[in-house]
Amino acid sequence: MKPGEDVTSASDRILLRAAGLTKRYGGVVAIDHVDLTLRSGEVCGIIGPNGAGKSTLVGLLGGALSPTAGRIHFDGSEVTSLPASERARRGIGRTYQIPRPFLDMTVEENLLVAQYSLSPLVGTRAAYAQCRSVLERTGLADAAKMPARALPLLRRKRLEVARALALRPKLLLLDEVGAGLIDAEVTELIGLIHSLVKEIPTIVIIEHVIRLVRECCQRLVVLDFGRQLAQGLTSQVLESDEVAAVYLGTGHGSLKAGPSERASSARARLAQGGQRAGSLAGMVGAGEPKASGAAMPLLRLEAISAAYGQAKALNGIDLVVEAGQAIAILGSNGAGKTTLAKVISGAIKPSSGCMLLNGEDVTGRSAHVLAARGIAHCMEGRRIFQPLTVEENLLIAARGVSAIEQRRRLEEMYLLFPALAERKAASGTAISGGQQQMLAIARALMAKPRLVIFDEISLGLSPIVVDRIYQALGELRAAGLTMLIVEQDMDRVLDLVDYVHVLEHGSFALSGSPPEVKANPRLRHLYIGAAD
Amino acid sequence: MAAQIASTRSLSVGAGSAGIVATALLLLGLGAMIFAPRVVGEYGTEIGFRALIYLTLAEAWNLLAGYGGLVSLGSSSFVGIGAYILMGMLNAGGFGIVTALTASGLGAAALAIMVSPAVFRLRGLYFTVGTLALGEALRLFMINVSYFGGATGIFLKSNPPPTEVLYVYAVALAGIATLVMEIYTGTRFSILLRSVRDDEDAASQVGVRAFRVKLLAFAVASLLMGAAGGLQALKLGAIEPYGMFGLQWSIDTLSIVIIGGLGVRFGPIVGTIFVIALAEALADYPELHLAMTGVILILVIRFAPKGLCGLGQDVCRLLIGRWDRPGMPRAGGALP
Amino acid sequence: MPSVELIASSLASGFLLGGILALTALGLSLVLGVMRLVNLAHGEFLIAGAYAGLFLVKYTGIDPLLGLLVIGGVIGLLALPMHQFLLMPLAGKGPEAPMMTTFGVSIILQNAFVLAFSADTRAIERDYANVALTLGPVTVAQIYVIGFAISASVVGAVHILIAYTAFGRDLRASAADADAAATIGVNVRRVHALTFALGAGCAALGGTLIGIAFAFTPVSGATYLLTDFAIVVLGGLGNILGTLIGGITLGVLQSIGGVVLGDGYRDLVGLALFLVVLAFRPQGLLAASRS
């Protein structure tokens, strides 16, 4: 089976059938009645925006998660209640989004685990020979005796694939294996996948990197909000407007509106927001007017680098933020956006470079020190304090001020987000995703910060809610709040900000004003891997 | 959790041929020790016996906690069970010492298997606290149930064999422990065990039945501990709950292995020698000895997570320059 | 068949004693809930409090109950350097390292107590302690009632601290999500240090009460450690009022065990209960079921 071949030439034998798969976490539905049929001999891709449920689906198929409802049949028998180890023995292999090799074992030993668990009595020579052949196929032969801990990110990904291969699986689930790779590396990976197709009957590729699915998969399934949105031949699915809209975040709710219409409605919203700006001015800390060149920048990053152990996440970032500016940080998954946000707020210490806040060197200071200096970070995933009530979540952020001042700020927040006022005594667990996001934003504002970082605030929220949130952001923008917006949802952000940086592999690949960046063909390439 | 322990430990030296050499050396050493009593006299034999019992316990605990990632504070449960089983069998009459010791080991293994479904459900810290509670519960149970002698305990009806004979049994037991360690750390089981220690979920995903792997390690370690307990009971001639189920066993075993080097093949023996030497040096000041053990434990955890063996390896590395052995973890952080 | 008076008195004593035990467990629950730290030296903090009470009355004549706050404060302050120098440097080395370190501290303290104060069994003799109070069929020692009152007050005070003050907010936030708390501006390290000190202080308070009610030795701490674990697990990690309920439950069950099976089985009942709960619901019986 070669990719690109008509899907009907795949055998008719059904290898996996999942029916009505549902996974619920308390009130949140991660996967909602998804049906999936996989035939022997096909390469199927699963795509969808962040938070769509792709990784949950992989967990359900691989056995790491057990479904709240639904059934899974694999190779003729039902496997719904089988744990991961049994499914692996029957031939389901998976890789992890963030590689999880056995760090304190050598590369070879990592593969031997699979060998020995499948065939405990296999001869040592045969086992090692088998390992060697898999390592050669995945380009790791020279690293056989190295500890897994010493491998850089791309090689760890290869090890993930090799380890799954050592299982001789019938179904291979590749979970975001292309994340964080540059173009040349993606080409290598595509070559590897093509070579695997011959020996593994069925491969499922869960991906953000569209180029990978375009060149490897015959069939695509699109997930959104835990449900199946679309399904069909790769080329057809990728050309569908609906899918493009969902994936690129081009205004979830306003599909019918063209770009210019959306822009003007956004501007209208901003204008509306401007009228409220006066009352909001009190919320903006150290109310400095828009920078007039001569003034010192509020924030300056010089040659900032950061790493997680082996993996370099940021590489020589230079960034200037003037007071009153709104700056967007865009980039695909794994580009380093959240790392940058965490370095600025102090959750991560940079490995080199320096950071200046209003001229003061704050490099490497702790998070709570930077918070006291006026940097607020509305973290990815909201990070509400679940056991605390809404009001307590807000109060905890207003530090070092009198009780009267705290009350005053609380009232301002309730004005900005009336929904929170209604739920002020509810605990963090009892409010919806949209309300949690509002709470996270309000909490960040309670400290009267000089600079707020909004990290992926549209994640997992419905279009209407995102509209409301961006409306609030617009109002804050007009009131003069300095903000850094880290986002995947491009369109809304570009209407809001003064300047844009696009991150790729830890450095800024593209910078400019919104119109410049929008018009640049590299933007789409950076996001979906091929210019349209 | 296990992955975090692993990152502060060094790998088994015993992989492959290096391990066989190590085991051969250890066995030779033990063989030589059989002749030691003639040289060191009675007191030396006493110390030797104690050291060998500790060595057996330490090897077993190293397998469990070092290689398996299961940090247990309940060693006393198995030592005590083994002791009481041996006493019971010898008092009942008609059983030889070897049979009784085997029964001690098997009984302890049975206990391990019995509690494993409950205890393995606990991850990390809860597991450790759970094993601690198990040991204490058994001790209290034995104190109260008069059938087993209650607080006064039971004593051996016949005379125990002389120290020299017991010493030979101890050598044999330590030898068995060494062999068992070699099997479990040098063979393919070690690979499965370490994978469960490093990342139980990823191991499952690659087909490893984690529960069975952990259970096997737990049962084997308990077997060794039970046999050691039985031998100790034989030496004492009279046992009671405070002594045999006391926390002392868990403390000593843990201290020896951590000080010697957790997860290191030579850790138990280095630790045993160190702890016994310390005990002898401070023999007149038992409280000071124990307090010092505590201090050293804290220092080792803080400054030498790989124990004395690790320190030794670092020193060697400095002196020799390059210590090229596959599988040594570098000092680097893990990915998020 | 024991008499009604005996049963009633046993239950009442168990109830009251359970309340006192709750105070001893409070510190453990706090530290475990906020810092995810299993403090194996907790029992020794208890005994330290008992010794402190003993010497307070011996050398100054001040009744330990009057000097409770001082005792708690002193032990709490002494715990701060332990946290600063022994535990904080271990951050990021995994959860076992701090726990093993507290284990080491436990060994050191036990033996230090023996060296400093001898291994003799001690008790803080107070005349009012053993006066019998009778109400109907129930007879209990006065110290149980006093101890329960003090314990309940302290538990209540700590509850108010945690639930209604700014520090309590910081503490709960640090327990829920330490990184997010730091980003908001909470000095998580300081919160941990103060929590550890508070835990030690509460343990010392409980220990003083225990020292008045019962006898103690340098190594008594271990048994209380495990009983306290049982209470923490029963009441739910970090649940302050739950600790009181858990303690009372344990106390009553221990009494029942003592009456039905015999006095030596009291502690065993507690431990057995602990193991059962641990096996089936480690987050605690009263813990809110979070998804």
Side-chain angles (χ1 to χ4, degrees), chain C residues 80-279:
Chain C
L80 278 175
M82 175 180 158
H83 176 257
Q84 173 83 12
F85 296 113
L86 293 183
L87 295 174
M88 242 174 48
L90 294 176
K93 289 203 187 171
E96 282 77 24
M99 182 173 65
M100 291 297 127
T101 301
T102 60
F103 195 52
V105 171
S106 161
I107 300 172
I108 295 174
L109 283 177
Q110 278 188 9
N111 288 285
F113 288 154
V114 173
L115 285 175
F117 310 132
S118 93
D120 295 341
T121 306
R122 310 284 199 131
I124 306 177
E125 304 286 352
R126 306 306 291 156
D127 299 324
Y128 55 76
N130 293 313
V131 171
L133 294 179
T134 312
L135 187 68
V138 172
T139 307
V140 292
Q142 190 169 246
I143 184 62
Y144 280 32
V145 178
I146 301 175
F148 184 87
I150 294 176
S151 175
S153 316
V154 173
V155 170
V158 171
H159 173 73
I160 292 174
L161 177 72
I162 304 288
Y164 297 110
T165 66
F167 173 73
R169 226 167 23 220
D170 289 353
L171 191 143
R172 282 180 291 140
S174 303
D177 192 334
D179 287 334
T183 307
I184 291 295
V186 175
N187 188 342
V188 176
R189 266 203 212 129
R190 203 172 57 188
V191 168
H192 281 183
L194 290 174
T195 308
F196 192 71
L198 181 62
C202 288
L205 288 183
T208 310
L209 289 176
I210 296 289
I212 299 177
F214 307 106
F216 60 95
T217 72
V219 299
S220 309
T223 319
Y224 284 111
L225 175 71
L226 287 172
T227 318
D228 289 347
F229 265 121
I231 295 175
V232 167
V233 167
L234 276 175
L237 227 54
N239 182 347
I240 305 300
L241 292 179
T243 311
L244 186 59
I245 298 174
I248 292 173
T249 312
L250 185 74
V252 170
L253 284 172
Q254 278 189 334
S255 290
I256 296 176
V259 168
V260 172
L261 296 169
D263 213 46
Y265 281 90
R266 295 177 52 89
D267 289 329
L268 184 58
V269 165
L271 269 182
L273 182 67
F274 174 48
L275 284 170
V276 166
V277 174
L278 205 59

Side-chain angles (χ1 to χ4, degrees), chain A residues 145-221:
Chain A
K145 307 274 185 211
M146 280 173 64
R149 193 182 283 279
L151 291 181
L153 183 62
L154 177 58
R155 300 202 100 189
R156 288 194 192 199
K157 284 180 183 279
R158 286 176 176 276
L159 180 55
E160 283 281 296
V161 176
R163 196 171 61 178
L165 278 182
L167 271 179
R168 287 191 286 274
K170 297 183 188 132
L171 169 65
L172 180 61
L173 303 166
L174 293 173
D175 190 0
E176 304 227 16
V177 67
L181 299 179
I182 58 177
D183 233 24
E185 292 169 336
V186 174
T187 311
E188 275 184 58
L189 192 59
I190 291 175
L192 177 61
I193 295 175
H194 282 192
S195 72
L196 293 178
V197 165
K198 296 185 202 77
E199 68 186 76
I200 302 177
T202 309
I203 303 179
V204 174
I205 302 180
I206 296 94
E207 261 311 330
H208 267 293
V209 178
I210 298 296
R211 189 180 150 215
L212 249 168
V213 293
R214 188 189 294 270
E215 298 193 26
C216 294
C217 306
Q218 300 139 348
R219 185 160 73 97
L220 279 191
V221 170

Side-chain angles (χ1 to χ4, degrees), chain A residues 196-449:
Chain A
L196 293 178
V197 165
K198 296 185 202 77
E199 68 186 76
I200 302 177
T202 309
I203 303 179
V204 174
I205 302 180
I206 296 94
E207 261 311 330
H208 267 293
V209 178
I210 298 296
R211 189 180 150 215
L212 249 168
V213 293
R214 188 189 294 270
E215 298 193 26
C216 294
C217 306
Q218 300 139 348
R219 185 160 73 97
L220 279 191
V221 170
V222 183
L223 287 183
D224 196 24
F225 289 118
R227 286 175 169 268
Q228 189 179 280
L229 182 74
Q231 220 219 115
L233 292 178
T234 307
S235 42
Q236 288 171 358
V237 167
L238 286 182
E239 266 151 41
S240 141
D241 285 334
E242 218 186 346
V243 171
V246 152
Y247 203 90
L248 296 174
T250 319
H252 285 70
S254 43
L255 286 170
K256 298 285 189 299
S260 54
E261 286 176 50
R262 275 198 297 282
S264 55
S265 70
R267 277 195 287 277
R269 281 201 296 272
L270 273 178
Q272 217 179 36
Q275 286 155 15
R276 301 247 307 249
S279 62
L280 288 178
M283 272 183 250
V284 177
E288 288 156 43
K290 263 215 180 84
S292 50
M296 192 178 332
L298 180 59
L299 179 71
R300 183 199 284 279
L301 268 61
E302 285 171 8
I304 287 282
S305 294
Y308 294 106
Q310 295 286 346
K312 252 203 169 222
L314 290 180
N315 226 329
I317 296 281
D318 293 313
L319 176 67
V320 169
V321 182
E322 309 280 357
Q325 271 192 322
I327 297 186
I329 308 282
L330 306 178
S332 64
N333 234 21
K337 305 191 298 294
T338 297
T339 311
L340 181 58
K342 286 188 175 174
V343 165
I344 295 176
S345 72
I348 295 175
K349 303 210 186 319
S351 52
S352 62
C354 80
M355 190 163 98
L356 299 159
L357 185 63
N358 259 341
E360 181 194 351
D361 188 340
V362 293
T363 318
R365 303 300 297 272
S366 307
H368 69 269
V369 170
L370 289 171
R373 293 269 192 289
I375 296 184
H377 183 180
C378 195
M379 296 174 92
E380 184 191 13
R382 289 147 223 160
R383 311 286 282 270
I384 296 297
F385 301 121
Q386 306 276 9
L388 273 60
T389 63
V390 165
E391 189 150 296
E392 286 177 319
N393 265 276
L394 293 171
L395 285 174
I396 195 174
R399 311 184 66 76
V401 295
S402 67
I404 299 173
E405 174 63 15
Q406 282 184 340
R407 281 281 131 207
R408 207 183 61 73
R409 292 188 196 177
L410 261 185
E411 290 313 315
E412 282 176 4
M413 289 306 130
Y414 289 144
L415 212 69
L416 181 64
F417 292 120
L420 290 180
E422 287 161 37
R423 314 280 287 141
K424 66 168 84 159
S427 85
T429 44
I431 57 180
S432 72
Q435 287 164 345
Q436 285 189 359
Q437 190 61 73
M438 293 181 200
L439 178 56
I441 295 174
R443 187 176 63 178
L445 294 174
M446 281 291 282
K448 278 260 201 307

Side-chain angles (χ1 to χ4, degrees), chain B residues 303-318:
Chain B
F303 297 111
K306 295 178 245 161
L308 290 177
C309 277
L311 274 181
Q313 283 167 355
D314 289 342
V315 165
C316 282
R317 213 181 295 140
L318 279 174

